[in-house]
PDB file of all heavy atoms in Angstrom:
ATOM      1  N   GLY A 144      -2.302 -17.020  30.420  1.00 98.00           N
ATOM      2  CA  GLY A 144      -2.978 -17.169  31.674  1.00 98.00           C
ATOM      3  C   GLY A 144      -2.136 -17.648  32.900  1.00 98.00           C
ATOM      4  O   GLY A 144      -1.275 -18.423  32.671  1.00 98.00           O
ATOM      5  N   LEU A 145      -2.481 -17.209  34.005  1.00 98.00           N
ATOM      6  CA  LEU A 145      -1.835 -17.552  35.329  1.00 98.00           C
ATOM      7  C   LEU A 145      -2.474 -18.818  35.743  1.00 98.00           C
ATOM      8  O   LEU A 145      -3.796 -18.911  35.789  1.00 98.00           O
ATOM      9  CB  LEU A 145      -1.827 -16.463  36.351  1.00 98.00           C
ATOM     10  CG  LEU A 145      -1.296 -16.770  37.633  1.00 98.00           C
ATOM     11  CD1 LEU A 145       0.246 -16.818  37.577  1.00 98.00           C
ATOM     12  CD2 LEU A 145      -1.762 -15.657  38.678  1.00 98.00           C
ATOM     13  N   PHE A 146      -1.852 -19.789  36.185  1.00 97.00           N
ATOM     14  CA  PHE A 146      -2.303 -21.082  36.768  1.00 97.00           C
ATOM     15  C   PHE A 146      -2.940 -20.649  38.178  1.00 97.00           C
ATOM     16  O   PHE A 146      -2.252 -20.204  39.010  1.00 97.00           O
ATOM     17  CB  PHE A 146      -1.236 -22.057  36.920  1.00 97.00           C
ATOM     18  CG  PHE A 146      -1.710 -23.327  37.564  1.00 97.00           C
ATOM     19  CD1 PHE A 146      -3.076 -23.807  37.370  1.00 97.00           C
ATOM     20  CD2 PHE A 146      -0.887 -24.189  38.453  1.00 97.00           C
ATOM     21  CE1 PHE A 146      -3.473 -25.087  37.932  1.00 97.00           C
ATOM     22  CE2 PHE A 146      -1.345 -25.327  38.992  1.00 97.00           C
ATOM     23  CZ  PHE A 146      -2.642 -25.744  38.732  1.00 97.00           C
ATOM     24  N   ILE A 147      -4.213 -20.905  38.288  1.00 96.00           N
ATOM     25  CA  ILE A 147      -4.947 -20.483  39.427  1.00 96.00           C
ATOM     26  C   ILE A 147      -4.514 -20.965  40.728  1.00 96.00           C
ATOM     27  O   ILE A 147      -4.554 -20.281  41.881  1.00 96.00           O
ATOM     28  CB  ILE A 147      -6.517 -20.883  39.330  1.00 96.00           C
ATOM     29  CG1 ILE A 147      -7.414 -20.313  40.438  1.00 96.00           C
ATOM     30  CG2 ILE A 147      -6.648 -22.349  39.395  1.00 96.00           C
ATOM     31  CD1 ILE A 147      -7.186 -18.745  40.488  1.00 96.00           C
ATOM     32  N   ALA A 148      -3.797 -22.182  40.828  1.00 95.00           N
ATOM     33  CA  ALA A 148      -3.353 -22.730  42.027  1.00 95.00           C
ATOM     34  C   ALA A 148      -2.118 -21.896  42.629  1.00 95.00           C
ATOM     35  O   ALA A 148      -1.905 -22.111  43.806  1.00 95.00           O
ATOM     36  CB  ALA A 148      -2.816 -24.161  41.901  1.00 95.00           C
ATOM     37  N   LEU A 149      -1.575 -21.139  41.825  1.00 96.00           N
ATOM     38  CA  LEU A 149      -0.462 -20.405  42.259  1.00 96.00           C
ATOM     39  C   LEU A 149      -0.806 -18.981  42.554  1.00 96.00           C
ATOM     40  O   LEU A 149       0.034 -18.184  43.165  1.00 96.00           O
ATOM     41  CB  LEU A 149       0.798 -20.399  41.213  1.00 96.00           C
ATOM     42  CG  LEU A 149       1.697 -21.604  41.252  1.00 96.00           C
ATOM     43  CD1 LEU A 149       0.989 -22.865  41.164  1.00 96.00           C
ATOM     44  CD2 LEU A 149       2.818 -21.390  40.264  1.00 96.00           C
ATOM     45  N   ALA A 150      -1.972 -18.463  42.276  1.00 96.00           N
ATOM     46  CA  ALA A 150      -2.404 -17.111  42.527  1.00 96.00           C
ATOM     47  C   ALA A 150      -2.319 -16.785  43.976  1.00 96.00           C
ATOM     48  O   ALA A 150      -3.003 -17.344  44.747  1.00 96.00           O
ATOM     49  CB  ALA A 150      -3.774 -16.939  41.942  1.00 96.00           C
ATOM     50  N   GLY A 151      -1.589 -15.780  44.396  1.00 95.00           N
ATOM     51  CA  GLY A 151      -1.560 -15.261  45.670  1.00 95.00           C
ATOM     52  C   GLY A 151      -0.826 -16.033  46.609  1.00 95.00           C
ATOM     53  O   GLY A 151      -0.765 -15.519  47.772  1.00 95.00           O
ATOM     54  N   ILE A 152      -0.133 -17.014  46.359  1.00 96.00           N
ATOM     55  CA  ILE A 152       0.536 -17.864  47.295  1.00 96.00           C
ATOM     56  C   ILE A 152       1.969 -17.487  47.334  1.00 96.00           C
ATOM     57  O   ILE A 152       2.554 -16.777  46.380  1.00 96.00           O
ATOM     58  CB  ILE A 152       0.529 -19.361  47.015  1.00 96.00           C
ATOM     59  CG1 ILE A 152       1.295 -19.753  45.853  1.00 96.00           C
ATOM     60  CG2 ILE A 152      -1.024 -19.823  46.990  1.00 96.00           C
ATOM     61  CD1 ILE A 152       1.505 -21.238  45.707  1.00 96.00           C
ATOM     62  N   PRO A 153       2.800 -17.686  48.433  1.00 96.00           N
ATOM     63  CA  PRO A 153       4.102 -17.436  48.528  1.00 96.00           C
ATOM     64  C   PRO A 153       4.942 -18.334  47.576  1.00 96.00           C
ATOM     65  O   PRO A 153       4.760 -19.527  47.386  1.00 96.00           O
ATOM     66  CB  PRO A 153       4.548 -17.620  49.907  1.00 96.00           C
ATOM     67  CG  PRO A 153       3.274 -17.619  50.743  1.00 96.00           C
ATOM     68  CD  PRO A 153       2.199 -18.139  49.822  1.00 96.00           C
ATOM     69  N   ALA A 154       5.950 -17.759  46.920  1.00 96.00           N
ATOM     70  CA  ALA A 154       6.713 -18.486  45.878  1.00 96.00           C
ATOM     71  C   ALA A 154       7.474 -19.512  46.590  1.00 96.00           C
ATOM     72  O   ALA A 154       7.897 -20.554  46.180  1.00 96.00           O
ATOM     73  CB  ALA A 154       7.634 -17.545  45.125  1.00 96.00           C
ATOM     74  N   SER A 155       7.741 -19.300  47.901  1.00 95.00           N
ATOM     75  CA  SER A 155       8.454 -20.293  48.745  1.00 95.00           C
ATOM     76  C   SER A 155       7.705 -21.542  48.989  1.00 95.00           C
ATOM     77  O   SER A 155       8.335 -22.495  49.463  1.00 95.00           O
ATOM     78  CB  SER A 155       8.932 -19.571  50.019  1.00 95.00           C
ATOM     79  OG  SER A 155       7.822 -19.249  50.788  1.00 95.00           O
TER      80      SER A 155
END
Side-chain angles (χ1 to χ4, degrees):
L145 178 72
F146 179 34
I147 187 61
L149 274 60
I152 72 169
S155 59

